[in-house]
Amino acid sequence: MNYGFVIDGRKCIGCHACSVACKSENQVPLGVNRTWVKYVEKGSFPDTRRYFTVLRCNHCEEPPCVDICPVEALHRRDDGIVDFDSRRCIGCKACAQACPYNAVYIDPESGTTAKCSYCSHRVEIGMKPACAVICPQQAIVSGDLDDPHSEISMLLAKERTVVRKPEKGTSPNVFYINGDGASLDPLQASESESYMWSAQSRGVGHFAKHAVEGGHFHSPEPAVEHHGGKAPAATARRVYDAPSKGSVWGWEVPAYVWSKAVSAGAFLMLFVFSLLPGMMLPEPMQWALWAVSLLFLSLTGGFLVKDLDRPDRFVSVMLRPQFSSWLVRGGLTITAYGAFLALWAAGMYLQLPLLVMAGLWGGAALALLTAVYTAFLFGSAKGRDFWQSPMLSLHMLLNSVIAGGSAMALLSAFIGLDAASLSLLRIVLTAAFSLHLLVMWTELYGRHPSLNAERSAEAITQGALKGQFWLGSVVLGNLLPLLVLIVSPGPLLIGAAAIGALAGVFYTEKVWVQAPQSISLS
């Protein structure tokens, strides 16, 4: 069996009966939806037309939300239904980033993932999903796609249908008859801040815990303007849609990427300067770099747990992991990296050279993986095209080199380094800043794989994030430190430049995390 839906756009009247039935059947809280109806209008008065489109989970044959989930809370059943187990969910919100259809939300009452489950509890006893039963126009048809005699199969055989975002390779099992392009493609009809009946007096989903004033929903992360703040010119316009979910990955995620970069970069500096011939790295500097690595690795774990909507379940990542998820692989990498940090310290304390070298080489390898694994995690979030950049691994690595080198430069103001070590540090940082600027330019102004990715880049360079990017990331975080290194002034100015560089790494990761989340997926 392979269950799916057909949405017949010729029949839908936009009555919202499906949304109401879904909420009633599944006890869906206010402010979030498993099934919702989007209204798009075209033309100018009096020659206008309104299109109604039912949106929901697509129950994909290749669901990216399942692949990214670290604890198997989401799973694809043998009958094709993509279902979830709220008892396992840790509230990491990775599935919300992976879903290209914006179908996943965080339940404001349980803090766990939820979405359309195809009313699996009804299907298991031979009943149809509530939305299909309640629809007065029979615009929603459910059934077994593999049964050639089922109503849905016969409908697909004789009618021309379309699916949402086929380029994602997810093989969605929700098909649209007379599907309107402006309704199915979220970038053809721009979003509005509010729609009729859709203003929420409290946050939506993950943000429901935030009380707001004025009776409207405002995400704690500011909305990002598209095209430098101007809506794209189009005759199609949204007149009703579900409320925005906001940026579900907030400040904690860029903070964790930043602290991870400092930790990995500091140990990589220790590795390079300890093995290069002719370099005499003082033992106090070695211990200082190790301490920075350990401290910021601890902060990384803290930020990871802080970002979870169910932090009490964090241990599930280790106890019931799904090893194909880069969240699990990252957690194991960080744990192993911490173990090698302890091994190096034990070798140094006991004065065992073989143990020190084992900790140094193993720690360096895991520090390198710690620096770049987030690029693979972001890359598995198929809903965010900007994160699919092939340059993202190099971007993360260079940020780690900058962060670790800057931490070492700060420490050198208190722990003296010889001239050769200082010279090499300046060379390493100068090369890292120069390459980082080149990589960012390529990611932002190079050829983008989709309009979605292009809009994300525009949000960084021209939209609401442009101040943080140009002043925080480019000027404070890269250009000024690079200029200081070229001029080669005293230690105080180098220390100030290092602080600016560390701040710049955070600003860079913040806009890289936030911008793609501002692009509408539904």
Side-chain angles (χ1 to χ4, degrees), residues 322-395:
Q322 189 215 160
F323 290 105
S324 64
S325 169
W326 273 101
L327 275 167
V328 171
R329 295 175 182 179
L332 294 174
T333 298
I334 289 174
T335 302
Y337 173 41
F340 274 97
L341 286 178
L343 184 66
W344 181 89
M348 287 288 289
Y349 182 77
L350 299 173
Q351 297 184 352
L352 299 174
L354 287 178
L355 206 59
V356 171
M357 292 305 294
L360 196 61
W361 281 93
L366 285 161
L368 184 63
L369 185 56
T370 297
V372 302
Y373 86 80
T374 312
F376 300 104
L377 169 61
F378 284 8
S380 59
K382 288 190 176 182
R384 309 299 178 183
D385 292 358
F386 186 69
W387 292 339
Q388 313 304 313
S389 167
M391 305 292 287
L392 195 55
S393 295
L394 182 57
H395 169 111

Side-chain angles (χ1 to χ4, degrees), residues 409-410 413-414 484 489-499:
L410 268 177
F414 306 96
V484 169
L492 286 179
L493 199 54
I494 289 180
I499 294 174

Side-chain angles (χ1 to χ4, degrees), residues 59 73-77 81-85 115 117 120:
H59 296 281
L74 285 152
H75 53 278
R76 188 172 189 269
R77 300 174 11 151
I81 297 174
V82 178
D83 210 344
F84 63 93
D85 186 347
K115 63 173 200 64
S117 63
S120 55

Side-chain angles (χ1 to χ4, degrees), residues 159-228:
E159 298 291 347
R160 182 179 179 180
T161 61
V162 295
V163 296
R164 295 171 64 194
K165 302 182 182 180
E167 70 278 3
K168 290 296 182 181
T170 60
S171 300
N173 279 334
V174 175
F175 302 87
Y176 292 86
I177 297 175
N178 202 28
D180 176 64
S183 295
L184 300 180
D185 182 356
L187 298 182
Q188 288 190 34
S190 60
E191 290 181 284
S192 177
E193 289 189 2
S194 62
Y195 306 98
M196 53 182 177
W197 314 312
S198 72
Q200 300 294 327
S201 60
R202 59 193 181 108
V204 173
H206 169 67
F207 295 111
K209 57 183 175 289
H210 298 286
V212 293
E213 298 179 357
H216 295 283
F217 164 59
H218 295 283
S219 165
E221 295 292 343
V224 179
E225 304 167 17
H226 308 308
H227 276 300

Side-chain angles (χ1 to χ4, degrees), residues 114-155:
K115 63 173 200 64
C116 165
S117 63
Y118 205 90
C119 285
S120 55
H121 60 288
R122 293 172 59 92
V123 172
E124 288 168 357
I125 58 174
M127 300 174 69
K128 292 181 178 180
C131 59
V133 172
I134 201 68
C135 180
Q137 295 292 102
Q138 297 183 334
I140 301 176
V141 179
S142 63
D144 183 6
L145 296 168
D146 290 345
D147 179 4
H149 302 294
S150 66
E151 179 185 4
I152 189 171
S153 291
M154 290 189 288
L155 197 58

